[in-house]
Amino acid sequence: MTKYIEFLKKAFSGEETDFTKVNIRSAVLLLAIPMMLEMAMESVFALVDLYFVGHLKESGFAIQTVGLTESVLSIMYSIAIGMSMAATALVARRIGEKNPEQASRSAAQVLLVSFTVTFILSLLGVLYAEEILILMGSKPEAAAYGKNFTRIMMGSSTIIMLLFLINGIFRGAGNAMIAMKSLWIANIANIILCPILIKGLGPVPALGLTGAALATTIGRSIGVIYQLYHLLVADTQIRILISYFKPNYGLIKSIIKIATPGIFQFVIASCSWIFLAELVATTGGENASAGYQTALRLMMFFMLPAWGLSNAASTLVGQNMGANEMLRAEQSVMKTVKYNVIFMLIVSLIFLFMGNFLVGFFTQETAIKDFAKNALQIMSIGFIFYGIGMVMINAFNGAGDTWTPTWVNLFGFWLFQIPLAYFLSKYLDLGPKGVFISIPAAETLITIVAFILFKKGKWKTIKV
């Protein structure tokens, strides 16, 4: 028991470790434990919002607005994740080469490029919030009700980008503890502010759905301030100086080369989720849409920790390739697969046997609960495949091979999942259930293809 306690203390200590030398099992778990908790905290944002807005008077409109806004924001997340892939790959490779100064310079250039792109998209989201909701399938009255929530959330896209991107930098350096703490701090602030701003307290007026957006934005901003302190001021392995932000066009070219397919990779996936959300809303109505969004938030609560675990593969692949330890890089991936399969099997059982209880925590409307429970049970069938697929995708990305998972996603989501969802829901008249079925079917196919390509080993030849 003492041995395990000491191991957990080390995982949470944030002390610098050479992940190219320690035991592979220890390397995976030292990175995975804080990374899983980090991603769990990211999923808490959506669940906290969903819980509080689910108890508002117009809960159907509110839940739908939160869900549709999150679907649109997933495009911003895609850009942030794509850029963080470049950051993780470059930083991990330079750390593996024992060159922390160049790792820091790479991090600064990724921040420079990302901020410029996200600011422009954030502005468009603020200006066209109501139109975006209507385009997503929301009724005009629901869009008018939720436009301020969407406007604030879209306006905070730069903060979202920084939160993801800086955590990607620290993960690449192997310092998952700072990444985890930043999201813990952000979530604690959000949990405290949500009831105050939504329901009102003392001189603070009840802002309803708008209060949820403000609470989330303020919470994330506090997390980013914590990150920036450790990036710019504290004495850590990655230490960015102001001079590092001077544009380095050679490095920017390398960043764009890695990040562009990485962004496409997640835009492809995110846009497919947007299409599915719209298809559920049009074939099943408001209750189906609210139920589907509830199920997705619950699913992501458990999926994001699994994604955090799979991030360990990204860091270990990058650092071991930098140290020219190719066999160790591959062994690290397979060890991570083993742990993720175990985790996702447990999640599958939870959803199959406790789905109704979990859904009831967020809404008491029978129609919404029925759709949500049905979605959870169907989607959980493919969870083990999700777990394997996540690790494969992160392994490619950690190697800097962001094109392979991009093509896999394009094939799996747009050439298979969307046509299947449309066929099942429209032509076979299964409605929302047809959409739910298409999700595990596509993820299973994507995982099989990704695993075959990983075993072929082309990723081992990538230079960054």
Side-chain angles (χ1 to χ4, degrees):
M1 181 62 73
T2 303
K3 181 176 69 173
Y4 294 118
I5 293 173
E6 289 301 317
F7 186 85
L8 288 173
K9 284 182 179 179
K10 186 176 181 180
F12 290 126
S13 68
E15 68 179 64
E16 292 178 1
T17 302
D18 188 344
F19 291 105
T20 64
K21 300 295 183 184
V22 300
N23 174 271
I24 292 177
R25 177 176 176 272
S26 297
V28 171
L29 293 177
L30 283 172
L31 286 168
I33 291 169
M35 285 180 177
M36 290 180 75
L37 291 172
E38 174 201 345
M39 289 293 102
M41 287 300 99
E42 178 58 40
S43 65
V44 166
F45 274 114
L47 284 184
V48 168
D49 287 347
L50 191 63
Y51 173 79
F52 284 108
V53 304
H55 292 79
L56 291 172
K57 185 177 180 181
E58 298 286 350
S59 63
F61 284 171
I63 292 173
Q64 185 183 43
T65 298
V66 171
L68 294 179
T69 301
E70 283 289 318
S71 295
V72 177
L73 277 174
S74 62
I75 296 175
M76 298 296 185
Y77 296 151
S78 299
I79 295 171
I81 293 170
M83 296 305 295
S84 72
M85 280 179 204
T88 299
L90 287 166
V91 169
R93 193 71 69 94
R94 300 296 86 84
I95 292 296
E97 294 168 353
K98 307 299 186 285
N99 190 348
E101 180 185 340
Q102 193 59 35
S104 299
R105 290 182 181 275
S106 299
Q109 295 298 303
V110 177
L111 284 168
L112 182 65
V113 174
S114 302
F115 184 86
T116 304
V117 173
T118 312
F119 178 78
I120 295 169
L121 293 174
S122 176
L123 185 61
L124 292 173
V126 171
L127 294 175
Y128 300 104
E130 188 169 358
E131 290 82 358
I132 288 171
L133 286 173
I134 292 174
L135 184 65
M136 286 290 296
S138 180
K139 294 178 181 178
E141 57 270 28
Y145 174 85
K147 65 182 178 182
N148 287 335
F149 176 89
T150 304
R151 184 170 288 129
I152 293 168
M153 294 299 290
M154 293 294 289
S156 69
S157 297
T158 303
I159 297 296
I160 294 170
M161 180 275 297
L162 287 172
L163 199 61
F164 272 92
L165 182 55
I166 298 174
N167 277 354
I169 291 169
F170 283 121
R171 284 195 298 269
N175 196 335
M177 191 59 195
I178 293 176
M180 186 199 81
K181 283 182 178 178
S182 66
L183 279 170
W184 275 85
I185 291 169
N187 266 287
I188 290 170
N190 184 44
I191 290 168
I192 293 171
L193 290 171
C194 255
I196 295 173
L197 295 179
I198 292 173
K199 297 182 178 181
L201 180 67
V204 180
L207 299 174
L209 186 60
T210 302
L214 287 171
T216 300
T217 300
I218 294 170
R220 282 181 168 143
S221 298
I222 294 171
V224 168
I225 291 170
Y226 173 82
Q227 291 176 320
L228 291 174
Y229 169 77
H230 284 279
L231 203 59
L232 304 174
V233 180
D235 184 19
T236 57
Q237 194 172 22
I238 299 295
R239 175 79 180 278
I240 295 180
L241 305 179
I242 298 301
S243 61
Y244 292 177
F245 286 104
K246 182 180 179 180
N248 181 327
Y249 295 105
L251 194 49
I252 288 174
K253 185 178 178 180
S254 297
I255 291 166
I256 293 173
K257 183 180 178 181
I258 299 171
T260 301
I263 292 170
F264 284 147
Q265 180 185 138
F266 281 86
V267 167
I268 287 166
S270 299
C271 287
S272 74
W273 285 102
I274 290 173
F275 181 89
L276 295 184
E278 191 274 339
L279 197 56
V280 169
T282 53
T283 60
E286 181 185 310
N287 288 331
S289 180
Y292 175 61
Q293 296 301 336
T294 300
L296 282 184
R297 300 287 80 74
L298 280 165
M299 185 180 81
M300 292 311 295
F301 178 77
F302 290 96
M303 294 287 276
L304 282 173
W307 185 263
L309 199 162
S310 67
N311 276 333
S314 183
T315 299
L316 291 171
V317 166
Q319 290 198 9
N320 281 298
M321 287 181 72
N324 201 31
E325 295 280 355
M326 298 300 178
L327 178 60
R328 183 180 169 88
E330 185 169 354
Q331 289 173 338
S332 299
V333 172
M334 299 316 296
K335 183 69 73 173
T336 309
V337 165
K338 174 184 174 182
Y339 294 136
N340 225 18
V341 165
I342 294 170
F343 177 79
M344 293 308 294
L345 176 61
I346 294 170
V347 174
S348 297
L349 295 174
I350 291 173
F351 276 18
L352 284 171
F353 295 107
M354 298 180 63
N356 196 50
F357 170 78
L358 293 171
V359 169
F361 187 68
F362 296 98
T363 180
Q364 293 302 316
E365 294 191 28
T366 303
I368 296 176
K369 285 178 67 176
D370 289 343
F371 278 111
K373 180 184 176 182
N374 188 236
L376 280 179
Q377 291 179 338
I378 291 173
M379 291 189 294
S380 67
I381 294 170
F383 276 6
I384 291 176
F385 287 97
Y386 298 170
I388 299 170
M390 287 176 197
V391 179
M392 295 296 108
I393 296 298
N394 273 295
F396 287 124
N397 290 329
D401 180 13
T402 48
W403 272 117
T404 294
T406 300
W407 289 116
V408 171
N409 279 356
L410 180 64
F411 167 73
F413 288 120
W414 284 91
L415 299 182
F416 181 75
Q417 185 185 64
I418 289 176
L420 179 63
Y422 194 87
F423 175 76
L424 293 175
S425 62
K426 295 275 192 178
Y427 284 89
L428 296 188
D429 204 26
L430 293 177
K433 186 176 181 180
V435 177
F436 305 157
I437 293 170
S438 72
I439 294 171
E443 292 290 350
T444 301
L445 179 63
I446 286 170
T447 296
I448 292 170
V449 173
F451 188 83
I452 292 171
L453 293 175
F454 176 79
K455 281 298 184 181
K456 285 188 174 182
K458 183 183 175 183
W459 56 273
K460 296 177 184 178
T461 65
I462 302 297
K463 306 293 182 184
V464 300

